[in-house]
């Protein structure tokens, strides 16, 4: 579909081709420039929104990592305080004795 193969175009595209063919070259160049500017504005707005969301995602990932580290440190501290590793070692040793 295009100016050289209008017969392959939909009615909507045919109408656009006819409209643009009626324009003089300067008018068509201006219309192209305006359309490019509109598309560029849309792309810039979208990029800004996506960049903002990516920033939020990065901030959330940092918060997640911080909270994970806080949890890991707390678990390690509490496990050491109550002797969890030693408890498990003693429990495993008792089970071995019972099996013999």
């Amino acid at each position: 579909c295009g100016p050289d193969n209008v017969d392959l175009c939909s009615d909507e595209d045919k109408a656009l081709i006819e409209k643009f063919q009626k324009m003089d070259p300067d008018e068509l160049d201006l219309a192209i420039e305006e359309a490019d500017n509109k598309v560029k504005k849309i792309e810039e707005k979208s990029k800004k929104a996506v960049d903002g969301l990516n920033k939020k995602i990065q901030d959330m990932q940092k918060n997640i990592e911080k909270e994970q580290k806080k949890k890991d440190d707390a678990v390690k501290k509490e496990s050491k305080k109550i002797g969890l590793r030693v408890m498990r070692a003693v429990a495993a040793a008792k089970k071995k004795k019972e099996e013999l």
Side-chain angles (χ1 to χ4, degrees), residues 25-85:
D26 291 338
E27 188 181 10
L28 189 56
D29 286 342
L30 183 62
I32 290 169
E33 187 177 330
E34 288 173 358
D36 284 342
N37 287 336
K38 285 181 183 179
V39 169
K40 185 178 179 182
K41 283 181 184 179
I42 292 168
E43 288 173 342
E44 287 172 353
K45 183 178 178 182
S46 176
K47 183 181 183 322
K48 186 176 179 180
V50 169
D51 288 347
L53 292 172
N54 281 330
K55 173 79 169 99
K56 286 181 182 180
I57 290 169
Q58 289 172 348
D59 291 345
M60 290 297 223
Q61 286 174 330
K62 287 178 186 175
N63 288 341
I64 289 169
E65 290 170 10
K66 188 171 101 178
E67 290 300 319
Q68 287 281 33
K69 183 174 180 352
K70 194 188 299 184
K71 177 210 48 127
D72 291 345
D73 290 347
V75 167
K76 185 178 178 181
K77 181 179 177 182
E78 190 64 23
S79 294
K80 186 174 184 175
K81 178 179 169 184
I82 61 177
L84 185 58
R85 187 181 60 79

